[in-house]
Amino acid sequence: MSDRPLEASERNPMADLDEWEALLRQRYQEPGEKSSFRDYGTDVRPAVREFYRLNHRHQTLDFVRAKERQYLDRNHRVMGIWEAMEFLNTLVDDSDPDTDLTQIEHLMQAAEAIRTDGHPRWFILTGLIHDLGKILCLFGEPQWAVVGDTFPVGCRYSDKVVFPGFFQENPDSNVALYQTECGIYEPGCGLDGVHMSWGHDEYLYHVVKDHLPEEGLAMIRYHSFYAAHREGAYTHLMNQDDRRRLEWVRAFNPYDLYSKGNEPPDVEALRPYYEDLIADFIPAKLAW
């Protein structure tokens, strides 16, 4: 990226973050229905297409390393999980025609669906918090550095990543080493050693990594890595632990994609349960 300030349309081409999630539900339909992942067709809104162009253009290895330096010391704010949920609520866009739900209601829908199916408490908590990394938008990050399908940087791009043609605009596409199969990595090195495109998944993983079991952390860290857990790409970088963790990501994915309905949960009635759940796993205050 250059040092030129980004225009508004270069920062946030979509009306809101729900546009990306709506596209995900279109690409990956309900279980039992035929996936439309490879059909980008006319139903993809121009703003979403532009979002992916910017994402694929700007997510270079240097950009990712810069964001890791900027955020992984977690010195931007100190707050608890519920406070972070209320902070995220300020992202609600009143002009969104598709939903009247707040961010907290979205999170609770996923958590309640997991709870209804009888999963462990850590799994329910993971559903509740998995999108809290989107507060990066409130720290001034553009949409394409917060949401979007994630992918490794520093190695060849997979054509299983959505809109792979846009990678031609990425400066890393002209770096010979980065366009070999493994790039800067070793075969089977494991995803822990791979730089992923920057966004809310990686950020939240580092915020909560000391407080959840590895299965929940994998759900948080890789739930947007669709090229891997839905399309089978990048297996040459994975080790056996990664393959096991991605099974948990696949178990979580339906709750992420399909739990959002029109009926909002009763936040105040459910709040005591979720505050107790949070307290069982996570300290009262976290560094963000």
Side-chain angles (χ1 to χ4, degrees), residues 31-98:
E33 297 182 11
K34 183 179 179 181
S35 170
S36 57
F37 177 70
R38 306 311 300 173
D39 179 11
Y40 305 127
T42 58
D43 290 337
V44 177
R45 285 169 281 194
V48 176
R49 187 180 293 270
E50 177 63 6
F51 162 82
Y52 275 108
R53 188 187 72 81
L54 292 168
N55 174 277
H56 292 0
R57 163 65 178 82
H58 292 305
Q59 290 271 6
T60 64
L61 178 60
D62 285 347
F63 174 80
V64 169
R65 284 173 165 163
K67 291 303 171 185
E68 290 170 348
R69 290 191 296 271
Q70 181 178 353
Y71 285 106
L72 297 192
D73 285 342
R74 307 196 328 269
N75 56 10
H76 287 75
R77 189 161 174 161
V78 175
M79 57 185 167
I81 289 292
W82 196 271
E83 184 182 355
M85 291 167 63
E86 293 178 328
F87 187 38
L88 185 64
N89 243 16
T90 65
L91 273 175
V92 170
D93 187 340
D94 291 337
S95 68
D96 181 9
D98 296 324

Side-chain angles (χ1 to χ4, degrees), residues 260-274:
K260 293 175 181 172
N262 294 323
E263 241 356 91
D266 187 336
V267 173
E268 287 310 307
L270 292 169
R271 181 169 177 166
Y273 169 82
Y274 281 105

Side-chain angles (χ1 to χ4, degrees), residues 11-28:
R11 294 181 60 82
N12 301 318
M14 300 183 295
D16 53 65
L17 302 187
D18 284 339
E19 285 201 63
W20 171 62
E21 296 188 355
L23 177 63
L24 288 177
R25 290 191 293 276
Q26 176 188 339
R27 278 164 44 194
Y28 297 109

